[in-house]
Amino acid sequence: MKGTIEVRLTLNGEPRAERVDSRLLLVELIRGVLDAKGTRVGCLTGDCGACTVSIDGEVRKSCLVLAASISGNDVRTIEGIGGIGALQEAFIAENGFQCGFCTSGMIIAAADLLKRNALPSHEEIRRAISGNLCRCTGYESIVNAIYRAAHGRHACARSNVA
Ligand code: FES
Ligand code: FES
């Protein structure tokens, strides 16, 4: 069909193939075609991070990726993070969300950080989520949640507040 392209990917471990408009964004493919609605759409300009996913282990903003550029890649969304894990429990314990719009992108970014750096400092956490905007929390509770997930405790005695 003219103007369409076959896209093959693995979404959260499941092989998928769809013929889509060649101008479709990856976030539109994920949400609208593959029905994984945990990934959010905020700005569509790469600024807010709500659409953050992992592609082949690399954190990417899916509104900046054309679905047509995906070819057999391993795409992970919040649905692929699994059930209530340490990160999600820590977000609950530290009140790391209010409206929750940013949360899936935050958790994808945090999971990527903890994969690379098991015991990050507050400053390293802030750097890792610097591409993710939150309009509700003021960030402190999100940083505390990621710190708790990594260190197993609240960082009340920390000395490196960013
Ligand atoms: S929707 Fe992609 S960065 Fe905002
Ligand atoms: S919790 Fe509302 S935008 Fe972050």
Side-chain angles (χ1 to χ4, degrees), residues 25 27 39-52 60-64 101 131-133:
L25 301 174
V27 69
T39 302
R40 306 295 187 192
V41 178
C43 61
L44 286 179
T45 54
D47 294 309
C48 75
C51 66
T52 301
R60 301 280 298 276
K61 292 175 178 174
S62 58
C63 72
L64 297 183
F101 198 83
N132 296 70
L133 300 183

mmCIF file of all heavy atoms in Angstrom, residues 25 27 39-52 60-64 101 131-133, ligand 1:
data_model
loop_
_atom_site.group_PDB
_atom_site.id
_atom_site.type_symbol
_atom_site.label_atom_id
_atom_site.label_comp_id
_atom_site.label_asym_id
_atom_site.label_seq_id
_atom_site.Cartn_x
_atom_site.Cartn_y
_atom_site.Cartn_z
ATOM 1 N N LEU A 25 4.682 8.272 14.180
ATOM 2 C CA LEU A 25 5.712 8.329 15.221
ATOM 3 C C LEU A 25 5.696 7.032 16.028
ATOM 4 O O LEU A 25 4.652 6.377 16.144
ATOM 5 C CB LEU A 25 5.457 9.511 16.156
ATOM 6 C CG LEU A 25 5.428 10.895 15.505
ATOM 7 C CD1 LEU A 25 5.026 11.954 16.534
ATOM 8 C CD2 LEU A 25 6.778 11.224 14.884
ATOM 9 N N VAL A 27 5.755 6.725 19.205
ATOM 10 C CA VAL A 27 4.796 6.814 20.319
ATOM 11 C C VAL A 27 3.372 6.558 19.838
ATOM 12 O O VAL A 27 2.558 5.968 20.562
ATOM 13 C CB VAL A 27 4.917 8.168 21.065
ATOM 14 C CG1 VAL A 27 4.436 9.343 20.205
ATOM 15 C CG2 VAL A 27 4.153 8.125 22.374
ATOM 16 N N THR A 39 2.648 4.486 28.002
ATOM 17 C CA THR A 39 3.537 5.524 27.484
ATOM 18 C C THR A 39 2.686 6.752 27.173
ATOM 19 O O THR A 39 1.666 6.643 26.488
ATOM 20 C CB THR A 39 4.245 5.040 26.208
ATOM 21 O OG1 THR A 39 4.970 3.849 26.526
ATOM 22 C CG2 THR A 39 5.195 6.087 25.668
ATOM 23 N N ARG A 40 3.098 7.909 27.684
ATOM 24 C CA ARG A 40 2.274 9.121 27.560
ATOM 25 C C ARG A 40 2.731 10.013 26.408
ATOM 26 O O ARG A 40 3.880 9.940 25.981
ATOM 27 C CB ARG A 40 2.346 9.938 28.854
ATOM 28 C CG ARG A 40 1.985 9.160 30.084
ATOM 29 C CD ARG A 40 0.543 8.729 30.055
ATOM 30 N NE ARG A 40 0.167 8.120 31.316
ATOM 31 C CZ ARG A 40 -0.941 7.451 31.502
ATOM 32 N NH1 ARG A 40 -1.776 7.276 30.502
ATOM 33 N NH2 ARG A 40 -1.217 6.934 32.671
ATOM 34 N N VAL A 41 1.822 10.855 25.978
ATOM 35 C CA VAL A 41 2.150 11.888 24.994
ATOM 36 C C VAL A 41 1.969 13.235 25.671
ATOM 37 O O VAL A 41 0.869 13.551 26.132
ATOM 38 C CB VAL A 41 1.224 11.819 23.763
ATOM 39 C CG1 VAL A 41 1.583 12.938 22.789
ATOM 40 C CG2 VAL A 41 1.335 10.474 23.089
ATOM 41 N N GLY A 42 3.045 13.992 25.749
ATOM 42 C CA GLY A 42 2.950 15.322 26.320
ATOM 43 C C GLY A 42 3.115 16.375 25.242
ATOM 44 O O GLY A 42 2.145 16.911 24.727
ATOM 45 N N CYS A 43 4.346 16.637 24.870
ATOM 46 C CA CYS A 43 4.649 17.778 23.994
ATOM 47 C C CYS A 43 4.774 17.421 22.521
ATOM 48 O O CYS A 43 4.567 18.257 21.657
ATOM 49 C CB CYS A 43 5.952 18.401 24.465
ATOM 50 S SG CYS A 43 7.356 17.248 24.370
ATOM 51 N N LEU A 44 5.197 16.211 22.227
ATOM 52 C CA LEU A 44 5.512 15.768 20.854
ATOM 53 C C LEU A 44 6.677 16.546 20.247
ATOM 54 O O LEU A 44 6.846 16.563 19.026
ATOM 55 C CB LEU A 44 4.293 15.856 19.933
ATOM 56 C CG LEU A 44 3.219 14.782 20.130
ATOM 57 C CD1 LEU A 44 2.045 15.013 19.171
ATOM 58 C CD2 LEU A 44 3.783 13.379 19.927
ATOM 59 N N THR A 45 7.454 17.214 21.089
ATOM 60 C CA THR A 45 8.612 17.963 20.589
ATOM 61 C C THR A 45 9.910 17.545 21.274
ATOM 62 O O THR A 45 10.934 18.214 21.129
ATOM 63 C CB THR A 45 8.405 19.479 20.797
ATOM 64 O OG1 THR A 45 8.095 19.714 22.182
ATOM 65 C CG2 THR A 45 7.289 20.018 19.935
ATOM 66 N N GLY A 46 9.865 16.470 22.038
ATOM 67 C CA GLY A 46 11.087 15.972 22.666
ATOM 68 C C GLY A 46 11.458 16.677 23.961
ATOM 69 O O GLY A 46 12.566 16.500 24.458
ATOM 70 N N ASP A 47 10.549 17.475 24.498
ATOM 71 C CA ASP A 47 10.905 18.273 25.668
ATOM 72 C C ASP A 47 10.473 17.679 27.008
ATOM 73 O O ASP A 47 11.105 17.928 28.024
ATOM 74 C CB ASP A 47 10.285 19.672 25.538
ATOM 75 C CG ASP A 47 10.891 20.451 24.387
ATOM 76 O OD1 ASP A 47 12.128 20.520 24.318
ATOM 77 O OD2 ASP A 47 10.129 20.956 23.544
ATOM 78 N N CYS A 48 9.368 16.943 27.050
ATOM 79 C CA CYS A 48 8.787 16.594 28.355
ATOM 80 C C CYS A 48 9.199 15.211 28.879
ATOM 81 O O CYS A 48 9.172 14.980 30.073
ATOM 82 C CB CYS A 48 7.269 16.691 28.302
ATOM 83 S SG CYS A 48 6.468 15.329 27.416
ATOM 84 N N GLY A 49 9.549 14.296 27.999
ATOM 85 C CA GLY A 49 9.960 12.965 28.436
ATOM 86 C C GLY A 49 8.829 12.019 28.790
ATOM 87 O O GLY A 49 9.078 10.882 29.190
ATOM 88 N N ALA A 50 7.586 12.469 28.644
ATOM 89 C CA ALA A 50 6.459 11.592 28.989
ATOM 90 C C ALA A 50 6.424 10.338 28.122
ATOM 91 O O ALA A 50 5.905 9.302 28.521
ATOM 92 C CB ALA A 50 5.144 12.362 28.842
ATOM 93 N N CYS A 51 6.982 10.436 26.933
ATOM 94 C CA CYS A 51 6.924 9.324 25.968
ATOM 95 C C CYS A 51 8.160 8.432 26.033
ATOM 96 O O CYS A 51 8.383 7.623 25.125
ATOM 97 C CB CYS A 51 6.799 9.899 24.555
ATOM 98 S SG CYS A 51 8.286 10.819 24.085
ATOM 99 N N THR A 52 8.963 8.567 27.099
ATOM 100 C CA THR A 52 10.233 7.843 27.188
ATOM 101 C C THR A 52 10.042 6.330 27.175
ATOM 102 O O THR A 52 9.224 5.780 27.912
ATOM 103 C CB THR A 52 10.971 8.245 28.487
ATOM 104 O OG1 THR A 52 11.190 9.651 28.466
ATOM 105 C CG2 THR A 52 12.300 7.518 28.609
ATOM 106 N N ARG A 60 15.041 6.452 25.019
ATOM 107 C CA ARG A 60 14.739 7.338 23.884
ATOM 108 C C ARG A 60 13.369 7.980 24.091
ATOM 109 O O ARG A 60 12.488 7.415 24.738
ATOM 110 C CB ARG A 60 14.707 6.531 22.579
ATOM 111 C CG ARG A 60 16.015 5.810 22.250
ATOM 112 C CD ARG A 60 17.047 6.710 21.641
ATOM 113 N NE ARG A 60 16.604 7.263 20.382
ATOM 114 C CZ ARG A 60 16.716 6.620 19.205
ATOM 115 N NH1 ARG A 60 17.238 5.415 19.156
ATOM 116 N NH2 ARG A 60 16.301 7.205 18.090
ATOM 117 N N LYS A 61 13.196 9.140 23.504
ATOM 118 C CA LYS A 61 11.878 9.785 23.496
ATOM 119 C C LYS A 61 11.148 9.330 22.240
ATOM 120 O O LYS A 61 11.570 9.634 21.118
ATOM 121 C CB LYS A 61 12.049 11.301 23.558
ATOM 122 C CG LYS A 61 12.597 11.724 24.908
ATOM 123 C CD LYS A 61 12.900 13.180 24.996
ATOM 124 C CE LYS A 61 13.389 13.490 26.416
ATOM 125 N NZ LYS A 61 13.851 14.876 26.549
ATOM 126 N N SER A 62 10.081 8.593 22.434
ATOM 127 C CA SER A 62 9.459 7.914 21.298
ATOM 128 C C SER A 62 8.696 8.857 20.382
ATOM 129 O O SER A 62 8.293 8.463 19.291
ATOM 130 C CB SER A 62 8.559 6.771 21.773
ATOM 131 O OG SER A 62 7.563 7.238 22.651
ATOM 132 N N CYS A 63 8.523 10.124 20.801
ATOM 133 C CA CYS A 63 7.911 11.094 19.877
ATOM 134 C C CYS A 63 8.929 11.627 18.886
ATOM 135 O O CYS A 63 8.557 12.325 17.942
ATOM 136 C CB CYS A 63 7.266 12.244 20.638
ATOM 137 S SG CYS A 63 8.441 13.398 21.395
ATOM 138 N N LEU A 64 10.209 11.324 19.116
ATOM 139 C CA LEU A 64 11.255 11.791 18.207
ATOM 140 C C LEU A 64 11.739 10.672 17.290
ATOM 141 O O LEU A 64 12.725 10.844 16.574
ATOM 142 C CB LEU A 64 12.436 12.358 19.008
ATOM 143 C CG LEU A 64 12.161 13.577 19.880
ATOM 144 C CD1 LEU A 64 13.439 14.049 20.555
ATOM 145 C CD2 LEU A 64 11.546 14.705 19.055
ATOM 146 N N PHE A 101 1.225 11.620 35.304
ATOM 147 C CA PHE A 101 1.430 11.721 33.859
ATOM 148 C C PHE A 101 2.889 11.477 33.475
ATOM 149 O O PHE A 101 3.171 10.870 32.452
ATOM 150 C CB PHE A 101 0.976 13.102 33.359
ATOM 151 C CG PHE A 101 0.746 13.145 31.884
ATOM 152 C CD1 PHE A 101 -0.448 12.721 31.337
ATOM 153 C CD2 PHE A 101 1.744 13.589 31.029
ATOM 154 C CE1 PHE A 101 -0.648 12.728 29.963
ATOM 155 C CE2 PHE A 101 1.559 13.609 29.663
ATOM 156 C CZ PHE A 101 0.355 13.175 29.125
ATOM 157 N N GLY A 131 15.860 14.895 31.506
ATOM 158 C CA GLY A 131 15.064 15.016 30.284
ATOM 159 C C GLY A 131 13.583 14.741 30.503
ATOM 160 O O GLY A 131 12.813 14.691 29.548
ATOM 161 N N ASN A 132 13.199 14.567 31.757
ATOM 162 C CA ASN A 132 11.806 14.236 32.090
ATOM 163 C C ASN A 132 11.214 15.337 32.964
ATOM 164 O O ASN A 132 11.719 15.587 34.069
ATOM 165 C CB ASN A 132 11.744 12.896 32.827
ATOM 166 C CG ASN A 132 12.206 11.738 31.959
ATOM 167 O OD1 ASN A 132 13.396 11.628 31.646
ATOM 168 N ND2 ASN A 132 11.291 10.907 31.550
ATOM 169 N N LEU A 133 10.172 15.963 32.479
ATOM 170 C CA LEU A 133 9.547 17.045 33.239
ATOM 171 C C LEU A 133 8.412 16.506 34.113
ATOM 172 O O LEU A 133 7.698 15.593 33.720
ATOM 173 C CB LEU A 133 8.974 18.100 32.288
ATOM 174 C CG LEU A 133 9.965 18.784 31.346
ATOM 175 C CD1 LEU A 133 9.250 19.854 30.525
ATOM 176 C CD2 LEU A 133 11.126 19.399 32.119
HETATM 177 S S1 FES B 1 5.843 13.688 24.184
HETATM 178 FE FE1 FES B 1 7.843 13.069 23.686
HETATM 179 S S2 FES B 1 9.147 14.336 24.853
HETATM 180 FE FE2 FES B 1 7.132 15.108 25.229
#
